[in-house]
């Protein structure tokens, strides 16, 4: 399958199976905004929960936080977003479509704007002067649309962590080095969004800010870089040959070292198909320093034992929940020939799959539907998300769940009625095992993880 085809196939499967729908579709769709359907919302929740478990629940040195989206407007002056969070915007004088000048220059290998060709209408060299366009969405607090009442929809979750640094450190009685983790929505008025859920106007971030003593930051950066790459590989199961670390050559104004975890999506995403799914940055003491300056409040960490006070350096790991979920989907998509038909399989890790089991009566008689219904309900009651399906040939029912990514198919047949065993079909290998009904939960739990 060509890389470009994969994304088209994923978009179509996502809609067909209820993973992702275009926002406001009945009105013609809202560009670059997507809604997660019944299976998509479960998959994304499982990705976020896997992250939270690794970052917060399994560690003593990271605390969780859920800060508000709306913040004091001075936060965004201090962070540099009001002055720096801009892209150079140019408009084609012929068709009036707008583009990022820097993206066009690098895509077309052009040395100057005069050489640029409009990707929409093909006109060459007819552009407005570039204008710095701020990517933050603005709105107003209260009834007056007054500039004094401007508030921003946060473009990253990180700032909510920085302004709460001392609240968390003191209330949780943490000592540096320690981290604060948060999952939440962020908004960016991207000039050229697109590629399905890869670049959208509204998205979710899973960010962790790790506060360290200055001088130990380079070592911590290295440690986090390795841990995050290992997480994508080992916890999500992303294929090692589709993952890479790409160091930044040009650093943001706040960073002393930075790089991206990239996944190979193929098609027109990123650099020849390699797209960033997570950024890892050494943000130095820039953020705490700026908030200390703009708020007038001391944000230093006091190390009483060592008799020291200092502004910690910050190592940030910032993953996009939507991009990571898209990587998980792209990584799982397979097509194979089975008995002259194409079988589409979403080979998701059982721990991430939205549904863990499909439960099927072989036929709609002889007490099989009732027996299968009871198994389905018992699994659900024990916290194993399950789907009951009695319609159509058994082969078709298996295929529907293969495509939805459900790892186990449980079939109630004549033998079940005689001796209480069911068949458990494994999605990827299609191998079937006969398991006693009383062993079923333990069998599944061992494999779901
Ligand atoms: N606090 C640092 C920060 O926000 P970033 O590299 O701009 O860094 C981090 O963003 C992650 O957020 C990216 O790796 C990506 O996964 C996700 N992300 C950023 N912009 C996005 C967009 N427009 N649509 C979807 N995800 C986005």
């Amino acid at each position: 399958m060509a890389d470009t085809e994969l994304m088209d196939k994923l978009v179509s499967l996502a809609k067909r199976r209820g993973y992702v729908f275009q926002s406001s579709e009945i009105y013609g769709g809202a560009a670059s905004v997507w809604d997660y359907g019944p299976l998509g919302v479960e998959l994304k929740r499982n990705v976020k929960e896997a992250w939270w478990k690794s970052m917060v629940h399994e560690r003593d040195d990271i605390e969780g936080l859920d800060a508000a989206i709306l913040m004091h407007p001075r936060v965004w002056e201090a962070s540099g977003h009001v002055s720096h969070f801009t892209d150079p915007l140019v408009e084609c004088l012929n068709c009036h479509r707008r583009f990022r000048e820097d993206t066009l220059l690098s895509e077309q290998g052009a040395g100057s704007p005069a050489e640029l060709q409009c990707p929409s209408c093909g006109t060459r060299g007819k552009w407005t002067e570039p204008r710095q366009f701020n990517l933050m969405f603005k709105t107003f607090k209260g009834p007056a649309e007054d500039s004094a009442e401007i508030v921003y929809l946060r473009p990253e979750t990180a700032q909510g962590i920085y302004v709460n640094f001392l609240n968390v450190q003191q209330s949780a009685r943490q000592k540096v080095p320690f981290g604060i983790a948060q999952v939440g929505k962020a908004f960016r008025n991207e000039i050229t969004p697109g590629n399905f859920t890869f670049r959208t106007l509204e998205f979710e971030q899973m960010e962790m800010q790790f506060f360290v003593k200055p001088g130990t930051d380079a070592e911590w950066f290295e440690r986090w870089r390795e841990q995050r790459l290992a997480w994508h590989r080992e916890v999500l199961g992303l294929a090692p040959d589709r993952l890479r670390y790409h160091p930044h050559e040009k650093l943001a104004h706040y960073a002393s070292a930075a790089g991206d975890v990239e996944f190979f999506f193929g098609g027109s995403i990123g650099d020849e198909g390699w797209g960033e799914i997570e950024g890892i940055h050494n943000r130095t003491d820039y953020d705490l320093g700026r908030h200390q300056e703009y708020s007038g409040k001391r944000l230093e960490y006091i190390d009483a034992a060592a008799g020291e006070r200092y502004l910690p350096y910050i190592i940030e790991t910032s993953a996009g929940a939507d991009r990571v979920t898209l990587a998980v989907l792209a990584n799982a998509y397979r097509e194979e020939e089975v008995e002259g038909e194409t079988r589409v399989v979403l080979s998701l890790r059982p721990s991430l799959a939205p549904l863990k089991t499909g439960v099927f009566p072989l036929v709609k008689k002889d007490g099989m539907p009732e027996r299968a219904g009871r198994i389905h309900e018992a699994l659900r009651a024990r916290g194993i998300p399950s789907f009951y399906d009695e319609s159509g040939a058994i082969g078709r029912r298996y295929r529907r769940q293969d495509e939805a990514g459900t790892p186990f198919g449980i079939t109630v047949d004549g033998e079940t009625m005689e001796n209480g065993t069911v068949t458990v079909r494994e999605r990827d290998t299609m191998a079937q095992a006969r398991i006693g009904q009383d062993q079923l939960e333990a069998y599944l739990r061992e494999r779901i993880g």
Side-chain angles (χ1 to χ4, degrees):
M1 188 184 354
D3 302 335
T4 39
E5 256 181 78
L6 171 65
M7 211 39 76
D8 292 342
K9 291 193 170 184
L10 270 185
V11 175
S12 145
L13 177 131
K15 175 159 187 204
R16 198 165 65 242
R17 286 283 154 237
Y19 272 94
V20 182
F21 308 125
Q22 196 181 14
S23 163
S24 321
E25 196 183 355
I26 59 167
Y27 287 96
S32 304
V33 198
W34 299 89
D35 299 337
Y36 287 83
L39 296 189
V41 65
E42 296 292 340
L43 178 64
K44 191 158 98 157
R45 275 173 64 121
N46 291 343
V47 166
K48 289 185 287 183
E49 272 164 27
W51 185 86
W52 194 261
K53 183 164 172 272
S54 302
M55 286 305 218
V56 182
H57 289 171
E58 290 179 354
R59 303 184 63 120
D60 289 324
D61 60 352
I62 300 185
E63 304 289 341
L65 178 76
D66 183 10
I69 288 172
L70 301 178
M71 300 181 76
H72 194 291
R74 290 274 286 166
V75 166
W76 306 110
E77 288 171 31
S79 69
H81 282 84
V82 170
S83 51
H84 284 93
F85 199 52
T86 55
D87 280 338
L89 173 96
V90 286
E91 185 175 315
C92 170
L93 291 170
N94 182 47
C95 71
H96 302 289
R97 291 283 303 273
R98 292 167 175 177
F99 300 93
R100 268 179 70 166
E101 187 188 47
D102 54 343
T103 311
L104 290 184
L105 286 169
S106 78
E107 276 174 5
Q108 299 182 16
S112 79
E115 297 166 31
L116 288 179
Q117 187 173 23
C118 174
S120 176
C121 70
T123 305
R124 194 177 288 277
K126 296 254 183 286
W127 299 98
T128 57
E129 281 299 307
R131 166 166 84 80
Q132 288 306 318
F133 173 78
N134 196 295
L135 269 63
M136 281 196 293
F137 279 102
K138 271 185 212 163
T139 186
F140 299 94
K141 209 165 73 173
E145 295 201 358
D146 189 304
S147 62
E149 301 300 329
I150 285 179
V151 283
Y152 298 97
L153 299 187
R154 66 181 177 198
E156 61 172 12
T157 62
Q159 301 300 324
I161 294 182
Y162 305 143
V163 299
N164 277 298
F165 159 61
L166 284 183
N167 284 339
V168 175
Q169 184 262 317
Q170 288 164 3
S171 60
R173 302 178 59 218
Q174 280 286 359
K175 291 189 170 61
V176 166
F178 80 99
I180 305 178
Q182 167 163 236
V183 177
K185 289 260 178 171
F187 303 82
R188 294 184 191 175
N189 201 358
E190 303 271 5
I191 299 170
T192 43
N195 271 320
F196 198 26
T197 54
F198 184 79
R199 191 179 300 283
T200 52
L201 304 180
E202 173 181 344
F203 53 96
E204 264 184 293
Q205 290 187 313
M206 309 185 287
E207 294 202 305
M208 192 284 301
Q209 315 293 326
F210 204 75
F211 300 87
V212 305
K213 190 172 177 185
T216 64
D217 47 304
E219 185 193 323
W220 275 108
F221 179 84
E222 221 22 63
R223 256 193 236 181
W224 276 113
R225 188 178 79 81
E226 280 164 21
Q227 287 188 30
R228 294 307 304 149
L229 265 168
W231 184 80
H232 289 282
R233 211 173 41 234
E234 287 158 23
V235 177
L236 300 184
L238 298 184
D241 61 350
R242 291 176 81 170
L243 271 176
R244 72 178 188 191
Y245 176 75
H246 179 73
H248 285 191
E249 279 136 32
K250 256 173 61 187
L251 294 175
H253 58 280
Y254 53 73
S256 71
D260 300 330
V261 176
E262 294 184 340
F263 175 79
F264 185 75
F265 291 93
S268 59
I269 285 181
D271 171 18
E272 298 186 349
W274 288 92
E276 171 192 345
I277 54 175
E278 173 158 357
I280 298 159
H281 313 119
N282 180 344
R283 299 185 66 131
T284 68
D285 59 359
Y286 175 84
D287 301 278
L288 290 181
R290 293 278 288 194
H291 286 305
Q292 179 165 270
E293 182 191 336
Y294 277 66
S295 68
K297 300 277 176 351
R298 290 185 92 153
L299 295 178
E300 287 161 325
Y301 170 72
I302 299 171
D303 183 344
E308 292 176 326
R309 57 192 308 156
Y310 56 84
L311 275 184
Y313 269 38
I314 293 171
I315 308 302
E316 168 181 70
T317 69
S318 174
D322 306 87
R323 280 196 196 170
V324 171
T325 302
L326 184 61
V328 166
L329 278 172
N331 188 68
Y333 188 92
R334 320 234 177 296
E335 281 179 11
E336 56 190 42
E337 284 299 302
V338 179
E339 291 162 11
E341 274 188 42
T342 304
R343 180 174 94 113
V344 175
V345 190
L346 267 191
S347 194
L348 297 167
R349 283 229 159 151
S351 56
L352 297 176
L355 292 165
K356 311 300 182 197
T357 59
V359 184
F360 319 111
L362 185 63
V363 288
K364 260 200 273 186
K365 58 181 187 185
D366 302 334
M368 290 183 208
E370 293 74 17
R371 186 81 171 249
R374 284 198 297 277
I375 294 175
H376 161 66
E377 272 161 33
L379 289 174
R380 236 183 22 196
R382 302 286 298 156
I384 298 180
S386 171
F387 184 79
Y388 175 80
D389 190 1
E390 60 177 29
S391 64
I394 190 74
R396 289 240 162 278
R397 285 182 266 164
Y398 285 151
R399 293 286 188 276
R400 284 201 287 264
Q401 291 308 312
D402 289 345
E403 224 188 31
T406 310
F408 302 103
I410 297 163
T411 306
V412 167
D413 54 16
E415 222 178 307
T416 315
M417 308 311 282
E418 281 167 23
N419 65 13
T421 61
V422 293
T423 64
V424 181
R425 173 185 177 273
E426 208 271 323
R427 176 199 60 205
D428 296 346
T429 58
M430 296 187 284
Q432 303 203 5
R434 258 211 111 84
I435 309 289
Q437 230 180 289
D438 52 347
Q439 303 295 309
L440 192 56
E441 186 183 337
Y443 180 91
L444 293 170
R445 286 213 187 280
E446 200 187 317
R447 284 157 181 82
I448 293 166

